[in-house]
Amino acid sequence: MNISYNWLKQFIKIDWDSQKTAELLTDLGLEVEGVSSFESLKGGLSGVVVGHVLTCEKHSNADKLKVTTVDIGAESPVQIVCGAPNVAVGQKVPVATIGTTLYTKEDESWTIKKGKIRGEESHGMICAEDELGLGESHDGIMVLSEKLIPGTPCSEIFDIENDEVFEIGLTPNRADAMSHFGVARDLKAGLKQKEIAIELITPPVSNFNVDNRSLKFDITVDNNELAPRYTGVTMSNLLVQPSPDWLKNRLNAIGITPKNNLVDATNYVLHELGQPLHAFDAAKIKGNKIVVKTLPKGTKFTTLDGVERELHEEDLMICDAEKPMCIAGVFGGVHSGVSENTTSIFLESAYFNPVSVRKTAKRHGLNTDASFRFERGIDIENVEYSLKRAALLIKEIAGGEITSDIIDFYPNKAKDFEVFLPFNKVHQLIGQEIPIDTIKSILTSLDIKVMSVTEAGLGLVVPSYRVDVQRPVDVIEEILRVYGYNNINFTQKLNASIAATSKFDDHKIQNKIGNLLASKGFYEIMTNSLISPEYVSISKELSENNSIKIINPLSTDLSIMRQSSLFSSLEVASYNINRKKSNLQLFEFGKTYAYDNEKRIENKYLSLLISGNKKDQNWLEETKQTNFFFIKSIVKNILERLGIENANENPIDNTDFSEGLSIEYKRNSIVEFGVIQKVIAKKFDIKQDILFANFNWDAILKLAANTSISYKEIPKFPEVKRDFALLLDNKITFKEIRDIALQTEKKLLKKVTLFDVYVGKKLAENKKSYAVSFTLQDNKNTLTDKQIDKIMNKLKYKFENDLGAELR
């Protein structure tokens, strides 16, 4: 929010420099993020002085140029070559001296330099009004008053305003400070604490009078919950024209582009008092009637920006007898606004329900100065005052008459909010005793009335414009910010309590696994919990009935809570792949949300996404593409790191995986992983394979807390490897071979691995050959050939009898 210092000084007479004022505003909670300079005329006419033309002769080498000598208040006159047809002896003219910088409307600049024009020296430039930015004319040079003294700076002659603008980072709760008057009100309270008594100057409206009653409108408000207060007045015989310079300067200083005097007046009062207003062209209002109501869903309405919008049934509208004219508190309509031909208006000032305005603005993707204020809550008691202020301002700058009484629809007058402030709570929260008289003084300076004083505390009445002060703690915050956070003492002693924590706390386990994955080249991601409902329709696992829908979504693409982390991860993968980052190893800790028997549940997860090659291409080794067994190895590493062993593996069908496994512990799935179906990846414009794993993190945490990790000494005796080439039926899996082997020899058999698979014409139909390696080791002795042969014979016998295997 931008605040003009000159504008601020209209309400509070202060002669501090801007830096000092900025520091006080920041101390008061209105953080000044920067102070910038504003000039109503770029450059401020610096270097431009009054010149007196002493001689003017025709240029010897150019028919349209003249050579002049000009007194600019220096020791001697200067020679200037000028091409203006109206330059003449005796004139007082503006002269841009050597070194002066002039600016165009496009903010382009050029510097006046000494030079030669057709052989004649020129030491400056006699300027036209458009060259100085003082007008549009370029017919000739400006001719100034004969009374002016040569050498007088032109910045002293013309009304050029120099201002300083505070950029305030306003917090959402401070609706009361969304205006120059509101900031001045806070500044007054801060100055009072510094024992500087300054009166707050309020714009007068006592001279508001109805000139005649020639233009009257009937006002009907159908829903006083959405529009608790609605006021209006008519004005006629107006002349739409550019605003006066002082008004343009005020708006330009805070970044508002002036349009015309009627629109500028409403914008001025908005930023002056914080009350949004709207002017309707009275000639465009049908039936001399204003109706504040909602319209059926799907009603078409074209706003001022020329966009046709479909209304929601909860959108509050300002209508005439036939059509909607304005989205209440948000944006005007294209067919009812003020134009250059407007001569009479209906001027609106209202209080609209903040929640209703916010929902409407979000639905239509609109964010205006008016909605910004209505959403946060304006002062309902300021509505009529602001209307009078705007009407008088319009009358001042656009002429005309006030042609109706003020119609004020305010059926349920708002009651002042009462708060009891206990003294002990003040001292407890602040950590320091502040004198009661100081507390009362601060509250009075903030317009918070002290209605009663007891030994226990103060009975207070909060003004209507402080919609954020509803509790004792809010009042304490007000006291503290005005008293000054820097004035609160603190000790050098630091107290801290040590919380009893377990090594199995969620965050500690997450850190261990996160470090493990990072060491393997994974990157952690954080995705949005909101997803598109379209994803539910492409998934075999998700159900629309289980989706938690957002009542007031920012967009349709973010309208439901995610039931699975898959689609959030695919969005990240698609984003990276489309930017030539195709080798991905990603992980994320998060939550999913769903309905389960009409009960909302949250589940924690750890998800992995792998795609592309294991490593980037390099000269030393060939690239290898990731596959199902690569993600399986990562999953196994995670479970082993957590001490989770003896889990069962089962294939999963009819899921979002084209190939997938579920690892289960005591019949509960703790992780599912595999290759994502290509039809799903295609929806995200992904053509390469996507490997995905989803851990049930809640189940993982319970298992991790009930397991222990043991460490073994590295064996001192050598291991022995033996191989079998087994001829098997196609239906037999390596898992069956490994399980039989480990059950047959539980003590000395340490590892079973598959290192080759052969299927070909040399084998019988429905047969395959597995080359299996067995690692044997005794931790206490060196194995003998006799021991090894005995074990291998046992294995051979089991394979032949249980699997029908043959040695090749």
Side-chain angles (χ1 to χ4, degrees):
M1 182 182 71
N2 292 331
I3 294 293
S4 157
Y5 201 13
N6 288 349
W7 199 342
L8 200 61
K9 290 177 181 177
Q10 291 181 201
F11 304 107
I12 186 167
K13 300 299 181 184
I14 182 173
D15 57 0
W16 283 8
D17 64 72
S18 60
Q19 193 60 40
K20 192 175 179 181
T21 302
E23 290 173 2
L24 178 55
L25 287 173
T26 299
D27 289 343
L28 288 167
L30 304 179
E31 184 180 358
V32 178
E33 297 175 342
V35 181
S36 58
S37 298
F38 168 78
E39 295 172 326
S40 60
L41 187 64
K42 184 79 172 179
L45 297 182
S46 176
V48 182
V49 299
V50 175
H52 183 203
V53 181
L54 302 177
T55 66
C56 181
E57 298 177 355
K58 185 179 178 181
H59 195 293
S60 58
N61 295 323
D63 294 337
K64 295 184 178 181
L65 298 179
K66 295 176 182 178
V67 179
T68 65
T69 55
V70 184
D71 178 9
I72 58 171
E75 293 181 1
S76 58
V78 295
Q79 179 173 294
I80 298 175
V81 176
C82 180
N86 64 328
V87 64
V89 174
Q91 292 175 335
K92 297 291 178 63
V93 293
V95 177
T97 57
I98 300 297
T100 298
T101 300
L102 299 179
Y103 299 86
T104 65
K105 283 186 176 181
E106 293 76 25
D107 280 347
E108 295 178 356
S109 63
W110 78 95
T111 302
I112 305 300
K113 299 178 180 178
K114 175 183 176 182
K116 281 189 176 183
I117 302 177
R118 295 288 185 94
E120 294 288 349
E121 289 189 358
S122 184
H123 298 264
M125 175 179 171
I126 304 175
C127 301
E129 64 178 36
D130 67 328
E131 293 167 335
L132 297 176
L134 295 170
E136 302 293 332
S137 175
H138 193 69
D139 295 336
I141 60 169
M142 289 185 72
V143 180
L144 307 176
S145 170
E146 295 180 358
K147 298 179 181 180
L148 295 175
I149 300 172
T152 302
C154 286
S155 58
E156 298 177 5
I157 301 170
F158 298 100
D159 187 17
I160 299 173
E161 181 165 345
N162 295 307
D163 197 357
E164 291 174 291
V165 180
F166 302 115
E167 184 181 344
I168 295 179
L170 196 66
T171 53
N173 65 306
R174 291 304 306 277
D176 63 295
M178 291 188 295
S179 65
H180 286 76
F181 185 74
V183 173
R185 193 164 47 200
D186 248 25
L187 196 55
K188 172 183 173 257
L191 290 170
K192 185 177 181 181
Q193 281 305 110
K194 296 183 177 296
E195 299 183 354
I196 302 174
I198 293 181
E199 291 297 321
L200 195 62
I201 302 170
T202 306
V205 295
S206 57
N207 57 338
F208 179 89
N209 291 302
V210 178
D211 296 304
N212 59 68
R213 294 173 175 82
S214 58
L215 182 59
K216 182 181 178 182
F217 286 90
D218 294 327
I219 295 180
T220 303
V221 179
D222 286 355
N223 189 331
N224 64 340
E225 290 185 4
L226 299 183
R229 189 173 191 183
Y230 190 87
T231 67
V233 70
T234 64
M235 300 186 72
S236 303
N237 299 322
L238 302 170
L239 178 62
V240 177
Q241 58 187 354
S243 297
D245 288 341
W246 68 266
L247 179 51
K248 289 181 180 178
N249 291 340
R250 289 285 178 268
L251 296 179
N252 279 322
I254 61 172
I256 305 296
T257 303
K259 294 179 176 62
N260 58 58
N261 49 2
L262 297 186
V263 175
D264 293 347
T266 59
N267 281 332
Y268 182 87
V269 175
L270 166 70
H271 291 278
E272 179 186 50
L273 302 176
Q275 171 66 47
L277 302 110
H278 191 76
F280 298 91
D281 189 329
K284 299 174 183 177
I285 300 175
K286 303 298 182 182
N288 281 18
K289 192 172 184 180
I290 300 291
V291 183
V292 185
K293 62 179 180 179
T294 56
L295 296 173
K297 183 177 181 179
T299 301
K300 305 290 186 181
F301 178 69
T302 304
T303 45
L304 274 172
D305 55 2
V307 177
E308 185 180 72
R309 305 176 188 275
E310 284 194 9
L311 300 179
H312 189 272
E313 65 267 21
E314 294 180 0
D315 293 338
L316 187 65
M317 303 296 296
I318 312 299
C319 309
D320 61 15
E322 300 178 2
K323 64 183 185 304
M325 300 188 297
C326 175
I327 303 177
V330 181
F331 212 22
V334 71
H335 300 302
S336 62
V338 170
S339 69
E340 58 185 13
N341 299 319
T342 298
T343 58
S344 59
I345 62 170
F346 173 77
L347 186 62
E348 165 197 278
S349 179
Y351 178 95
F352 298 117
N353 182 284
V355 175
S356 172
V357 172
R358 179 170 177 78
K359 286 183 177 180
T360 297
K362 290 297 181 185
R363 267 193 292 266
H364 297 291
L366 294 170
N367 183 23
T368 61
D369 285 338
S371 67
F372 180 81
R373 286 158 176 79
F374 279 125
E375 288 174 13
R376 287 157 177 77
I378 60 171
D379 182 8
I380 196 169
E381 299 299 333
N382 193 41
V383 170
E384 184 182 9
Y385 169 76
S386 299
L387 181 67
K388 291 180 177 179
R389 167 64 174 154
L392 290 173
L393 180 59
I394 290 173
K395 192 173 180 180
E396 175 188 339
I397 62 177
E401 303 167 327
I402 297 172
T403 51
S404 76
D405 293 307
I406 290 179
I407 301 171
D408 188 359
F409 177 86
Y410 192 16
N412 302 313
K413 185 172 174 60
K415 296 180 180 179
D416 291 332
F417 194 82
E418 297 181 359
V419 177
F420 181 76
L421 180 66
F423 290 133
N424 63 343
K425 192 162 188 176
V426 176
H427 304 325
Q428 179 184 356
L429 285 181
I430 293 178
Q432 177 178 320
E433 287 197 14
I434 298 177
I436 294 176
D437 289 342
T438 302
I439 292 175
K440 290 165 65 177
S441 174
I442 291 173
L443 294 174
T444 302
S445 69
L446 292 170
D447 295 337
I448 298 176
K449 297 178 182 178
V450 179
M451 303 304 291
S452 62
V453 182
T454 67
E455 291 185 359
L458 302 174
L460 308 173
V461 175
V462 180
S464 58
Y465 62 81
R466 288 312 304 268
V467 295
D468 61 317
V469 180
Q470 304 287 296
R471 305 166 298 170
V473 68
D474 298 328
V475 179
I476 295 171
E477 183 183 0
E478 292 300 296
I479 294 169
L480 188 53
R481 72 180 182 85
V482 176
Y483 182 77
Y485 291 98
N486 295 332
N487 295 324
I488 302 299
N489 299 321
F490 60 93
T491 65
Q492 298 297 319
K493 183 180 178 182
L494 178 64
N495 295 323
S497 57
I498 300 175
T501 60
S502 166
K503 64 180 180 179
F504 298 111
D505 283 349
D506 189 0
H507 69 280
K508 291 186 177 180
I509 301 294
Q510 283 192 34
N511 285 339
K512 287 180 181 178
I513 300 305
N515 290 336
L516 172 67
L517 290 169
S519 70
K520 293 181 176 295
F522 280 73
Y523 290 91
E524 185 171 10
I525 60 174
M526 295 180 66
T527 59
N528 201 328
S529 298
L530 302 175
I531 62 171
S532 169
E534 179 187 354
Y535 298 158
V536 178
S537 63
I538 64 176
S539 172
K540 289 185 177 181
E541 297 184 39
L542 306 185
S543 168
E544 186 176 351
N545 295 330
N546 294 338
S547 296
I548 297 177
K549 299 177 182 178
I550 304 301
I551 295 175
N552 186 27
L554 295 173
S555 69
T556 54
D557 290 338
L558 299 171
S559 59
I560 65 170
M561 305 291 284
R562 64 184 172 201
Q563 295 182 53
S564 166
S565 61
L566 170 62
F567 301 101
S568 301
S569 299
L570 286 174
E571 287 179 344
V572 176
S574 175
Y575 182 90
N576 281 274
I577 291 169
N578 288 337
R579 286 157 181 79
K580 305 300 182 182
K581 184 68 176 176
S582 57
N583 300 333
L584 301 173
Q585 295 183 33
L586 310 173
F587 75 95
E588 179 182 31
F589 291 97
K591 290 184 178 182
T592 56
Y593 311 85
Y595 279 113
D596 185 10
N597 295 326
E598 299 185 354
K599 181 181 178 181
R600 287 191 295 267
I601 57 172
E602 294 183 12
N603 292 315
K604 294 180 181 178
Y605 68 82
L606 163 63
S607 65
L608 311 179
L609 185 145
I610 301 172
S611 188
N613 297 325
K614 294 180 182 179
K615 294 181 180 180
D616 290 334
Q617 186 174 1
N618 65 76
W619 65 274
L620 191 59
E621 57 184 343
E622 294 182 1
T623 59
K624 294 182 179 180
Q625 193 170 12
T626 55
N627 54 31
F628 176 85
F629 296 99
F630 178 70
I631 193 169
K632 182 179 180 181
S633 68
I634 301 296
V635 169
K636 288 286 189 178
N637 281 169
I638 293 172
L639 296 178
E640 288 173 4
R641 179 65 182 85
L642 295 172
I644 300 174
E645 298 177 347
N646 302 321
N648 296 318
E649 298 176 6
N650 293 305
I652 48 177
D653 299 317
N654 197 30
T655 66
D656 293 335
F657 296 110
S658 58
E659 301 174 49
L661 274 183
S662 173
I663 296 182
E664 299 176 355
Y665 192 88
K666 293 184 178 179
R667 298 184 180 180
N668 293 319
S669 176
I670 56 176
V671 57
E672 293 182 351
F673 63 93
V675 183
I676 296 299
Q677 293 192 18
K678 292 187 180 297
V679 66
I680 295 178
K682 190 176 179 181
K683 291 286 185 180
F684 293 83
D685 196 28
I686 299 174
K687 298 177 182 178
Q688 60 195 56
D689 285 345
I690 296 292
L691 305 166
F692 188 77
N694 187 63
F695 289 78
N696 182 342
W697 193 248
D698 290 315
I700 292 288
L701 290 176
K702 290 179 182 178
L703 289 175
N706 295 319
T707 58
S708 58
I709 299 174
S710 59
Y711 297 88
K712 298 178 181 178
E713 183 182 2
I714 297 175
K716 298 177 181 178
F717 299 93
E719 62 181 27
V720 175
K721 288 188 177 181
R722 293 289 186 269
D723 301 334
F724 275 164
L726 300 173
L727 185 63
L728 303 157
D729 291 337
N730 275 337
K731 63 181 181 179
I732 295 173
T733 65
F734 170 69
K735 181 177 183 298
E736 293 176 85
I737 296 173
R738 186 185 61 186
D739 290 346
I740 289 173
L742 293 173
Q743 289 172 6
T744 302
E745 178 54 54
K746 298 180 180 179
K747 183 179 178 182
L748 300 180
L749 181 59
K750 303 300 183 182
K751 189 189 301 182
V752 181
T753 57
L754 176 68
F755 64 89
D756 187 43
V757 178
Y758 173 73
V759 178
K761 295 179 180 179
K762 295 182 179 180
L763 301 180
E765 189 177 356
N766 296 322
K767 293 288 185 176
K768 62 183 175 182
S769 174
Y770 273 3
V772 185
S773 177
F774 303 91
T775 302
L776 305 171
Q777 189 175 41
D778 189 340
N779 294 333
K780 297 180 180 179
N781 299 291
T782 300
L783 289 171
T784 64
D785 289 340
K786 186 177 180 180
Q787 287 177 295
I788 297 169
D789 291 342
K790 183 179 179 181
I791 293 170
M792 298 307 295
N793 287 331
K794 283 168 58 179
L795 293 175
K796 175 177 175 291
Y797 176 79
K798 290 293 290 184
F799 292 149
E800 288 174 344
N801 280 275
D802 293 1
L803 302 177
E806 298 178 26
L807 286 182
R808 293 184 65 205

